[in-house]
Amino acid sequence: DVKVTQSSRYLVKRTGEKVFLECVQDMDHENMFWYRQDPGLGLRLIYFSYDVKMKEKGDIPEGYSVSREKKERFSLILESASTNQTSMYLCASTPGGRAGDTQYFGPGTRLTVL
Amino acid sequence: AQKITQTQPGMFVQEKEAVTLDCTYDTSDPSYGLFWYKQPSSGEMIFLIYQGSYDQQNATEGRYSLNFQKARKSANLVISASQLGDSAMYFCAMRGFSGGYNKLIFGAGTRLAVHP
C-alpha cells in the first residue's frame, strides 16, 4: 500500500513564526502536492513538484514556499505565519503519467495560527 | 478555466438505501478525468472511483458507480446499499490533460450522513 505521512496531525503556531510542514511518501512517486482545505471551498492547490528540486505554483501560492531536496520528501514552508493560514493542509503524491493515476493523500495537518 | 460544482452541501440517507451525489464540471479540454474521493472524520482522503472522458461505459467499483453524462457535463456518484460507515465528506475532482495535467480541481464537497 502507498503510504503518505505528514509530520504532525495538529499544530499551533503564533503569528510571524516560520512553520515547516513535512510530507513523506514511500512509493517512489514522481509528483507531490500540497493543498489547503477550507469549509465550503474544497481543496485548493498551493504548490506541486514533478521532480526533485522542481516546483510549480498552484492556485494559491502566496505566503507559502516549498522544498523538495529528495524524491520522497516535500516540505511546505510558511515564512511568516498569519491567522488567515489557519487551515487543514493535505499532502498528496502520484506516480503521474497515466490518465487514471489517482493521488494518494496523507492524513492532513490541522494548523492553527494564533 | 476548469471548474467543479457540487451543489449539495449536505445529504442524508437511510441505511441500505441508494444515494446520488451530484457533480457538474466545466472544461474546454477535450480529454479529462473525473475522480471521487471520500473523507471520513479522520481527515484522510480516500480514492473511490475514476472516469475518463473517453470511457464508453460508466465506471463502477463495488457499491460505487459513476453516472457520467458527458453532454450535460455531469459525473454523479451513486452509492448503493448505504452503510453507516459511508457517513463522510465526498469530493468530486477533475484533471485536465492539456498543460498542467497533474493538477486536480476539487469541488466544495458534499457531507453525507447515513441514518440507521
Side-chain angles (χ1 to χ4, degrees):
Chain A
D1 280 353
V2 176
K3 192 75 172 177
V4 180
T5 57
Q6 295 183 229
S7 49
S8 305
R9 291 300 304 269
Y10 300 93
L11 208 54
V12 180
K13 295 291 181 181
R14 297 212 173 270
T15 302
E17 280 192 78
K18 190 169 187 176
V19 182
F20 293 87
L21 302 182
E22 305 285 341
C23 175
V24 178
Q25 49 93 6
D26 66 357
M27 283 300 292
D28 202 37
H29 285 172
E30 302 290 333
N31 307 293
M32 297 187 74
F33 307 81
W34 275 106
Y35 296 91
R36 66 176 280 174
Q37 181 182 0
D38 300 289
L41 297 178
L43 278 70
R44 292 179 292 166
L45 182 63
I46 304 171
Y47 268 97
F48 67 100
S49 169
Y50 52 87
D51 201 353
V52 176
K53 296 191 184 295
M54 306 300 287
K55 60 185 179 184
E56 292 285 342
K57 291 180 180 179
D59 300 315
I60 51 164
E62 297 78 18
Y64 304 93
S65 62
V66 290
S67 172
R68 194 165 180 204
E69 296 297 317
K70 294 185 178 181
K71 192 175 186 180
E72 68 270 19
R73 187 180 299 269
F74 192 36
S75 302
L76 179 69
I77 303 155
L78 287 65
E79 295 289 342
S80 178
S82 63
T83 54
N84 63 13
Q85 292 178 310
T86 292
S87 186
M88 169 75 108
Y89 290 87
L90 290 161
C91 174
S93 72
T94 182
R98 294 187 307 175
D101 281 340
T102 184
Q103 293 189 8
Y104 296 88
F105 285 83
T109 296
R110 191 167 292 281
L111 173 67
T112 301
V113 182
L114 301 175
Chain B
Q2 296 179 325
K3 187 178 180 181
I4 291 280
T5 301
Q6 293 180 255
T7 57
Q8 307 154 314
M11 291 278 287
F12 71 88
V13 64
Q14 291 293 125
E15 195 178 8
K16 300 180 184 177
E17 292 186 350
V19 63
T20 298
L21 307 183
D22 294 341
C23 173
T24 58
Y25 60 91
D26 190 20
T27 182
S28 56
D29 289 342
S31 178
Y32 50 89
L34 296 154
F35 298 78
W36 277 92
Y37 291 87
K38 172 185 178 181
Q39 187 181 43
S41 56
S42 58
E44 190 165 351
M45 297 283 282
I46 302 167
F47 165 70
L48 295 178
I49 197 166
Y50 167 79
Q51 178 85 41
S53 57
Y54 291 118
D55 292 343
Q56 294 298 313
Q57 292 188 320
N58 286 346
T60 60
E61 290 286 348
R63 294 186 299 111
Y64 304 107
S65 60
L66 203 153
N67 183 2
F68 181 47
Q69 298 187 44
K70 194 170 182 177
R72 298 180 63 181
K73 294 190 173 180
S74 73
N76 299 338
L77 177 71
V78 180
I79 306 174
S80 63
S82 297
Q83 301 172 357
L84 296 178
D86 293 335
S87 295
M89 281 290 288
Y90 289 81
F91 291 95
C92 180
M94 175 173 62
R95 183 167 69 190
F97 300 124
S98 59
Y101 78 97
N102 283 321
K103 295 192 288 185
L104 288 179
I105 305 297
F106 285 83
T110 296
R111 184 173 296 281
L112 177 67
V114 180
H115 295 173

